[in-house]
Amino acid sequence: MTIILKKPVQTNARKRRGLWHVSLLLIVIQLVLFITPASAATESNRQGSPLLSGFELVDERPVKDLNGIGKWYRHRKSGAQVFYLQNDDDNKVFSIGFRTPAPDDSGIPHIIEHSVFCGSRKYPVNDMLSQIQKGSVNTFANAFTTADKTFFPVASKNEKELRNLMDIYLDAVFHPNFYQSPEIFWQEGGHFELASPADEPVFNGIVYNEMKSHYTAVDNRLDRAILKSLFPDTPYERDAMGDPKEMPKLTRDKLLDYHRTYYHPSNSFIFLYGNLNIDDTLKFLDEEYLGDYDQRQINASIPLQRPFEKRRTVTGEYPLPNKAERDGNTYLSLNYGIDEPLSSQLIVTMTIVDRLLMGTATAPVKTTLLGSGIGKDSYSFLLADIQQPVYSIIAEKVRDDRIPFFESTVEKTLRNLVHQGIDREQLQTIIDTVEYEIRESQAGASRGLLYNQLVLNSWMNGGHPAALLEVGEALAKIKQGVSSGYFEQFIEEHLLNNPHSSLVTLKPDSAAEKEEPIKRSLSDSEKKILFRQQKELQDWQSKANSSESIPRLTLKEIDRQEQALPLEERTEAGVKVLFHRQFTNGIAYVDFYFDTQDVPQSQLPYLYLLAEMLGNVSTDHRNYRMMDQELHEHTGGLVVEPYVFSHYKKGELIAPKLLIGISAVADQLPAALELLGDMAGHSRFDDERRLQEILHQIRTHRESALYEGGESLALSRLQSFLSPAGRYEEQGGYSYSRFVMDADDHFDSKVSEIRRNLEQVAQRALNKDGLIVSVTSGETEYPLFQQSVGRLVSALNSQYFAPETYRFPKANKKEAFITASEVHVVAQGINYSGTGQQYNGHMEVLRNVLDHGYLWERLRMKGGAYDAFSQINDGGTILLGSVDDPNVKETIDVYAQTGEFLRRFQPDEQEMNSYIIGAIGVMDNLLEPWEKGRVAAAHYMRGIKQQDIQQIRDEILSTSPQDIRNFAPLLDTFRSAQNLTVVGNGEKIMQNQDCFDSVVDIFK
Ligand SMILES: [Zn+2]
């Protein structure tokens, strides 16, 4: 799994949320297609071709869908394979992957994924990945462990930087320092810690903490149980990521043996993508790395699961604190291993079948489960990046008396579909949606990374690397099957009559809650050894960690000019339009920003509730099923969400909005906008049963999000102490969760109040007055918007309501939330508005210094937290936070010492430049076409001009060490910060009770 993710630029525009919009990455992960092992293809079919830097060309073919050419090479001496997908994309990608079957549950592949970045032969730097993030303009640098592979991708628009990163990555995977330094294994895999030689040792480690947090989430536990149940005879039975219970048993020798065996060029799969110099790249690979190795036979393939005679039944447990209700918290899943010879057609078919059964508000299996009271909600799981894909149908939070009906209800619904036939129109709509998503992904800003995954999934399983890149033909065949019973037959064969199947039951277990930290009873001399090792680790971690060896671009090689985002102001049908012209592959993204300043403060929770109701309730012209069906038919996704904008550099709240956004293939725009007009102008809230159903679903999601706790809860609470915008947004955060639970608990007595409030808020919010529309598309798609927007506008209410004034009293607080997690999020903040300090570009460099120069080392490397970060907001707030952190008090101390660290900040020139370049890298983050439109619109609303952004860039580029030291007094105020949010482990929170004004138990 991901080590760290590059943080998105702060734009005050949040992530797009869709009730059923599938993200690009998801689609591609789902659309992973396989071909049958083509052993012939791996042999050179061009024996006569000349060697190119030691590489022979195995195959070359056009990849029509992507407008590119696929070139497959084999390095003769080492056996390494390279696939180059050549096209004109400037965002170039390199990745190296290895097949890494899990030998046990101790997480070896995952720990190695982390450990290779703790220093290598050429780059003896403890935290290579952080050093890369700190000082480069890469668009992606990370690593992933999946059930059967580990891969290391990087991307950049700068070819020189891509080469630098390739060199770092290759040196890391082939020549890691963990052979020489046992400290790396202790830090990542884990070690026993003791405060003094007399103490009881307790286990701690970065990957260990990450997995403890991972295992807290029920859905992760369930995914694991599903794979275990379907593949008892293969490595998929085991957890490549690591089961925290098993991780302390791993020895370093075992880890080194594993690395020696699998991290060899003969087991490597190298992917190159985009507009780059391939001859030169192959020469580099051969001379610097691959030429040193001789080919070796490595068996890393995974056997197929032996057929089942009948469905397996498996029962497991997940931790749920004692206080929570036992009954009504069971998870059930019906799972199928899909064993037919694999093809692209099969996987696209599975995607469509999944949508059909579970993916929409009218999906038959989903609605039947809900209607029969089996669970509070249900979802599906489609895993298609392994040899035998898996499909699961899951019911959440099932009451004990409903458990026996789950399996038979699903099967009965499937049988009815097969016998009565599937609704043709609905099927066609789903196929259109899938086609739409493929089209959108082909214009995606980071499509090279998606192709990387598709290539690996086929290639590592013995297929042609390009086999999954083209889906056009498979789709054409599938469409022909709509009328000939193809889908009915598929369901009958692969679901109903498939013995490779399991029924997994996960019940809440209170015993798991009481689980102690893993301890060991040891003799005094053993303790002394551990204590010494712990000292060695601390010394190693605080050793001057020079990053001089890391190759960097120079400041001269950085673009000084800030790229302008496209924005033109227009007026259509009497409404202001912001048009963002760019290539979108024929898709139009249309965002309606409704002014909600006239919604009274007391009704703000209802504004958030309204956002979740729209599109899910009936209108004057359509019932909610038709609405859902037509949304799928005419759009590629819907998002409805309250947005708050604040003044640039001032922080005061301006312009609260309700965003209703859609994306659609341009010729669908007239129908899509008509639909949106109906939704915005004519939604009805008088169907009480429907209101209750939706409330139930919202509650379920909110509850699990709260139970699993974490970052978003901590940050939203903290922001609410710091700024008016934060206080506004909190109305949709924790307070809203409580509001929803209360509404659901007392639905019968409150229903008329809920209904009345929703109607009033809709009337005020969904109003023509103050409406701004933001359109992102090419010029050719625009006229279709122009022709149809008038009809939508005329459907809206035009009554005038006076704007409201919001008053949010300041409320600093030190607060803790107890969740099921065993680790913590620890966050603290300050507000610098009114101190004379103004936001500027030096602060962007400061953020980079805090993240990579201070917090990373103190909280991740020494403290064992999975991540640590700072957030600096132009409105006047600075936040420091840690994620999956085993500590509480120690972390607060680290925050308090931030100013002290800055006072002593003395980087050399190279180090300083890397902080500057990294800050520019964050500014130049890749944005999807729709994100560009949304960010440009946010800038418009907040009054941010192009010259403001250019100024920030100029200030970043001119930052000196003194500029950073000047922030020391500001950061000193963390010592007296009167706010604190901690989310996590109850025991530790109660031990530190004196740190908090209030402790909230999420389960009470
Ligand atoms: Zn990880």
Side-chain angles (χ1 to χ4, degrees):
M1 175 159 289
T2 321
I3 288 196
I4 52 173
L5 282 171
K6 199 164 172 180
K7 285 178 200 87
V9 204
Q10 279 178 38
T11 57
N12 214 0
R14 289 185 308 176
K15 265 191 309 201
R16 163 178 174 120
R17 171 190 63 99
L19 289 176
W20 41 267
H21 180 94
V22 176
S23 80
L24 298 186
L25 195 64
L26 245 170
I27 304 156
V28 174
I29 289 172
Q30 290 188 350
L31 281 186
V32 171
L33 322 169
F34 297 83
I35 63 166
T36 37
S39 53
T42 54
E43 288 303 315
S44 169
N45 55 10
R46 300 192 178 197
Q47 297 289 353
S49 71
L51 284 188
L52 187 67
S53 300
F55 285 90
E56 61 194 8
L57 186 66
V58 179
D59 183 49
E60 176 174 334
R61 62 170 67 171
V63 185
K64 287 185 302 251
D65 283 9
L66 313 184
N67 217 354
I69 300 169
K71 295 177 181 176
W72 180 2
Y73 303 93
R74 207 176 68 92
H75 189 251
R76 219 175 245 181
K77 181 161 183 290
S78 69
Q81 300 186 67
V82 172
F83 183 70
Y84 173 40
L85 181 54
Q86 177 186 355
N87 68 6
D88 60 4
D89 194 344
D90 278 336
N91 190 38
K92 307 165 226 301
V93 178
F94 159 82
S95 91
I96 181 160
F98 303 92
R99 292 194 287 190
T100 51
D104 54 34
D105 284 321
S106 68
I108 295 181
H110 187 190
I111 296 169
I112 292 181
E113 178 223 310
H114 278 243
S115 301
V116 299
F117 289 117
C118 297
S120 68
R121 178 188 64 177
K122 274 164 89 175
Y123 307 112
V125 181
N126 294 357
D127 54 346
M128 295 161 83
L129 205 52
S130 169
Q131 290 297 336
I132 289 171
Q133 298 292 9
K134 165 175 127 186
S136 86
V137 291
N138 72 74
T139 55
F140 193 85
N142 217 324
F144 299 93
T145 305
T146 72
D148 54 13
K149 63 180 156 298
T150 310
F151 66 108
F152 300 83
V154 286
S156 180
K157 290 189 171 187
N158 182 310
E159 186 155 5
K160 183 173 167 200
E161 182 172 82
L162 188 79
R163 174 64 58 84
N164 288 346
L165 294 172
M166 272 170 73
D167 196 45
I168 299 171
Y169 267 50
L170 287 164
D171 205 58
V173 298
F174 288 127
H175 307 291
N177 275 354
F178 55 65
Y179 284 95
Q180 296 85 40
S181 304
E183 295 87 352
I184 296 173
F185 176 69
W186 300 338
Q187 173 180 285
E188 299 293 334
H191 59 282
F192 283 90
E193 267 179 10
L194 4 75
S196 75
D199 258 18
E200 277 302 303
V202 176
F203 200 71
N204 191 14
I206 293 176
V207 182
Y208 172 70
N209 288 333
E210 181 193 338
M211 292 316 294
K212 272 213 299 200
S213 163
H214 184 86
Y215 266 65
T216 309
V218 190
D219 48 351
N220 289 333
R221 292 233 179 197
L222 190 58
D223 292 355
R224 186 87 283 284
I226 291 169
L227 278 187
K228 232 174 148 62
S229 72
L230 286 176
F231 301 101
D233 308 319
T234 80
Y236 294 130
E237 197 260 342
R238 308 186 278 265
D239 192 353
M241 302 282 292
D243 178 342
K245 277 207 185 69
E246 298 298 313
M247 292 175 80
K249 296 177 192 157
L250 177 63
T251 63
R252 180 165 164 257
D253 284 344
K254 213 168 164 194
L255 182 120
L256 296 182
D257 277 345
Y258 190 89
H259 183 269
R260 265 183 222 111
T261 308
Y262 293 106
Y263 278 61
H264 184 280
S266 302
N267 184 38
S268 76
F269 298 79
I270 297 171
F271 174 77
L272 292 162
Y273 169 81
N275 182 9
L276 53 78
N277 183 339
I278 185 65
D279 291 354
D280 197 48
T281 308
L282 292 179
K283 186 161 174 277
F284 163 80
L285 287 171
D286 173 53
E287 288 176 0
E288 297 295 321
Y289 292 96
L290 304 178
D292 298 341
Y293 295 85
D294 291 315
Q295 185 164 355
R296 195 202 274 171
Q297 202 62 264
I298 298 168
N299 185 11
S301 59
I302 289 182
L304 290 172
Q305 173 58 42
R306 283 201 305 266
F308 286 11
E309 277 174 19
K310 62 177 179 31
R311 175 170 300 156
R312 294 183 75 205
T313 304
V314 177
T315 306
E317 282 166 342
Y318 75 94
L320 187 73
N322 271 333
K323 294 152 277 188
E325 187 69 44
R326 297 305 70 204
D327 193 8
N329 267 318
T330 293
Y331 284 69
L332 296 168
S333 82
L334 199 49
N335 319 298
Y336 305 94
I338 309 294
D339 300 333
E340 146 174 340
L342 292 158
S343 69
S344 60
Q345 188 174 330
L346 175 68
I347 310 293
V348 177
T349 304
M350 280 176 68
T351 306
I352 295 169
V353 167
D354 172 40
R355 300 284 174 88
L356 176 80
L357 301 178
M358 295 290 292
T360 67
T362 55
V365 176
K366 194 176 177 83
T367 47
T368 310
L369 284 171
L370 206 62
S372 323
I374 299 171
K376 285 205 177 134
D377 204 355
S378 58
Y379 66 97
S380 59
F381 170 65
L382 175 55
L383 181 70
D385 73 342
I386 62 171
Q387 258 190 99
Q388 292 164 284
V390 169
Y391 183 60
S392 300
I393 292 169
I394 295 147
E396 293 177 82
K397 304 197 168 195
V398 186
R399 280 202 329 264
D400 288 354
D401 61 340
R402 305 307 293 161
I403 292 175
F405 301 100
F406 170 68
E407 189 178 1
S408 56
T409 304
V410 173
E411 294 206 315
K412 193 171 159 216
T413 314
L414 294 179
R415 252 193 307 276
N416 284 346
L417 273 178
V418 169
H419 292 145
Q420 290 158 16
I422 299 164
D423 184 287
R424 299 268 172 273
E425 209 175 312
Q426 208 177 356
L427 200 48
Q428 192 52 52
T429 302
I430 291 168
I431 295 172
D432 289 347
T433 311
V434 170
E435 209 171 353
Y436 166 89
E437 287 162 1
I438 291 167
R439 180 197 275 259
E440 192 179 46
S441 76
Q442 286 165 351
S446 40
R447 53 194 180 278
L449 291 162
L450 307 183
Y451 302 149
N452 181 11
Q453 292 194 33
L454 290 174
V455 164
L456 290 182
N457 290 331
S458 158
W459 200 13
M460 285 189 170
N461 285 295
H464 190 290
L468 314 181
L469 294 173
E470 304 206 63
V471 285
E473 259 171 55
L475 258 170
K477 272 190 203 154
I478 285 167
K479 283 182 185 168
Q480 287 168 8
V482 170
S483 49
S484 60
Y486 169 76
F487 287 94
E488 288 84 352
Q489 200 189 331
F490 182 92
I491 292 170
E492 184 162 35
E493 215 174 286
H494 292 92
L495 306 185
L496 277 172
N497 297 337
N498 182 359
H500 189 187
S501 166
S502 69
L503 174 68
V504 172
T505 306
L506 272 197
K507 291 195 161 225
D509 171 28
S510 53
E513 182 206 13
K514 288 194 267 355
E515 195 179 297
E516 293 291 317
I518 294 178
K519 291 181 181 167
R520 211 187 238 177
S521 31
L522 298 165
S523 69
D524 284 353
S525 61
E526 284 171 313
K527 280 186 186 175
K528 270 189 195 135
I529 295 174
L530 280 183
F531 194 63
R532 202 186 59 229
Q533 286 184 351
Q534 186 179 324
K535 282 288 295 167
E536 283 167 16
L537 174 59
Q538 284 162 357
D539 290 347
W540 179 82
Q541 286 170 332
S542 51
K543 227 179 13 196
N545 183 20
S546 167
S547 60
E548 266 166 46
S549 56
I550 299 276
R552 307 249 187 232
L553 297 180
T554 63
L555 280 185
K556 280 201 199 75
E557 288 164 303
I558 299 296
D559 208 341
R560 307 196 83 82
Q561 199 63 35
E562 181 70 28
Q563 295 287 324
L565 292 169
L567 189 149
E568 268 172 62
E569 287 184 57
R570 298 180 175 182
T571 302
E572 309 290 353
V575 170
K576 178 178 287 293
V577 173
L578 310 175
F579 176 49
H580 318 285
R581 183 206 319 244
Q582 63 189 300
F583 174 71
T584 54
N585 209 13
I587 295 170
Y589 301 88
V590 186
D591 288 344
F592 290 83
Y593 288 95
F594 290 93
D595 179 20
T596 60
Q597 184 76 52
D598 47 11
V599 174
Q601 184 166 347
S602 62
Q603 284 182 322
L604 289 180
Y606 288 99
L607 181 64
Y608 283 91
L609 185 60
L610 174 71
E612 304 207 61
M613 292 284 170
L614 290 178
N616 288 313
V617 293
S618 304
T619 67
D620 291 337
H621 307 112
R622 293 169 171 86
N623 67 36
Y624 71 88
R625 290 197 176 83
M626 284 166 67
M627 177 56 81
D628 184 76
Q629 162 80 16
E630 288 186 51
L631 275 170
H632 279 89
E633 204 172 314
H634 303 302
T635 80
L638 166 75
V639 57
V640 188
E641 189 174 6
Y643 259 64
V644 192
F645 296 103
S646 60
H647 259 303
Y648 182 52
K649 293 194 180 180
K650 293 191 190 121
E652 329 106 45
L653 194 67
I654 38 162
K657 306 279 184 199
L658 179 63
L659 165 69
I660 303 188
I662 51 139
S663 57
V665 176
D667 60 16
Q668 293 290 330
L669 269 181
L673 293 185
E674 191 275 321
L675 199 59
L676 227 58
D678 191 28
M679 185 196 298
H682 303 279
S683 279
R684 303 178 63 104
F685 308 99
D686 51 359
D687 179 350
E688 296 183 0
R689 197 168 157 259
R690 183 63 187 157
L691 289 190
Q692 191 172 21
E693 259 174 28
I694 300 172
L695 259 179
H696 263 320
Q697 287 171 21
I698 301 173
R699 186 217 183 107
T700 306
H701 294 144
R702 286 267 160 178
E703 258 178 5
S704 2
L706 277 184
Y707 289 178
E708 284 149 23
E711 212 176 324
S712 62
L713 172 62
L715 295 187
S716 107
R717 284 304 275 186
L718 199 61
Q719 285 289 8
S720 79
F721 307 147
L722 292 170
S723 72
R727 285 193 274 283
Y728 186 108
E729 286 192 310
E730 215 285 319
Q731 307 291 308
Y734 175 71
S735 315
Y736 176 68
S737 302
R738 287 291 168 201
F739 163 82
V740 166
M741 286 175 203
D742 182 63
D744 185 42
D745 283 342
H746 307 102
F747 187 77
D748 291 338
S749 62
K750 293 206 162 166
V751 60
S752 51
E753 185 188 331
I754 294 170
R755 191 183 143 183
R756 191 183 61 244
N757 276 291
L758 282 171
E759 281 162 359
Q760 283 172 5
V761 171
Q763 199 181 21
R764 285 168 178 256
L766 301 169
N767 193 301
K768 212 186 305 194
D769 188 37
L771 175 64
I772 296 176
V773 189
S774 170
V775 181
T776 305
S777 74
E779 188 68 62
T780 46
E781 289 89 29
Y782 188 83
L784 284 152
F785 161 76
Q786 202 174 21
Q787 288 154 28
S788 36
V789 67
R791 197 155 162 216
L792 183 151
V793 172
S794 65
L796 298 173
N797 174 16
S798 54
Q799 198 182 338
Y800 174 80
F801 294 95
E804 297 278 331
T805 314
Y806 300 125
R807 285 192 186 78
F808 298 105
K810 276 199 178 167
N812 258 322
K813 213 172 178 187
K814 297 186 174 179
E815 210 176 22
F817 292 90
I818 296 177
T819 67
S821 174
E822 290 191 42
V823 279
H824 311 91
V825 177
V826 181
Q828 216 170 16
I830 56 172
N831 187 325
Y832 61 84
S833 59
T835 64
Q837 176 69 55
Q838 269 242 324
Y839 172 74
N840 61 37
H842 304 324
M843 286 185 159
E844 291 299 317
V845 184
L846 169 68
R847 188 192 43 68
N848 199 12
V849 171
L850 293 178
D851 285 2
H852 297 110
Y854 183 61
L855 298 173
W856 179 276
E857 190 196 327
R858 294 292 301 271
L859 297 183
R860 174 162 165 136
M861 294 182 64
K862 291 186 185 158
Y866 176 72
D867 196 7
F869 58 87
S870 62
Q871 277 189 3
I872 301 183
N873 186 294
D874 67 64
T877 62
I878 301 179
L879 258 66
L880 302 178
S882 67
V883 177
D884 293 353
D885 188 343
N887 301 311
V888 174
K889 213 162 193 157
E890 296 82 347
T891 299
I892 300 170
D893 289 342
V894 169
Y895 297 160
Q897 293 155 26
T898 311
E900 220 22 71
F901 164 80
L902 291 179
R903 210 162 272 119
R904 293 193 309 269
F905 181 67
Q906 295 281 4
D908 60 23
E909 193 188 334
Q910 199 217 12
E911 174 90 351
M912 189 62 211
N913 287 350
S914 68
Y915 285 124
I916 293 173
I917 292 170
I920 292 287
V922 172
M923 278 203 104
D924 290 350
N925 239 351
L926 274 190
L927 295 175
E928 297 297 337
W930 65 266
E931 284 177 308
K932 284 189 187 166
R934 208 160 277 174
V935 172
H939 286 174
Y940 175 88
M941 314 256 192
R942 305 189 58 215
I944 303 176
K945 302 272 184 307
Q946 182 61 22
Q947 63 260 33
D948 295 325
I949 307 169
Q950 181 64 48
Q951 190 189 341
I952 296 298
R953 194 177 189 93
D954 295 343
E955 287 164 352
I956 291 176
L957 288 167
S958 73
T959 306
S960 71
Q962 186 58 47
D963 291 327
I964 299 300
R965 287 193 292 271
N966 289 344
F967 288 117
L970 179 61
L971 274 292
D972 277 339
T973 56
F974 268 94
R975 283 194 213 136
S976 54
Q978 290 307 304
N979 59 67
L980 169 69
T981 312
V982 174
V983 181
N985 178 315
E987 200 175 317
K988 196 104 189 213
I989 284 173
M990 292 321 282
Q991 280 166 17
N992 291 290
Q993 212 172 350
D994 53 324
C995 296
F996 309 108
D997 305 328
S998 81
V999 175
V1000 180
D1001 191 327
I1002 289 291
F1003 298 97
K1004 281 182 182 158

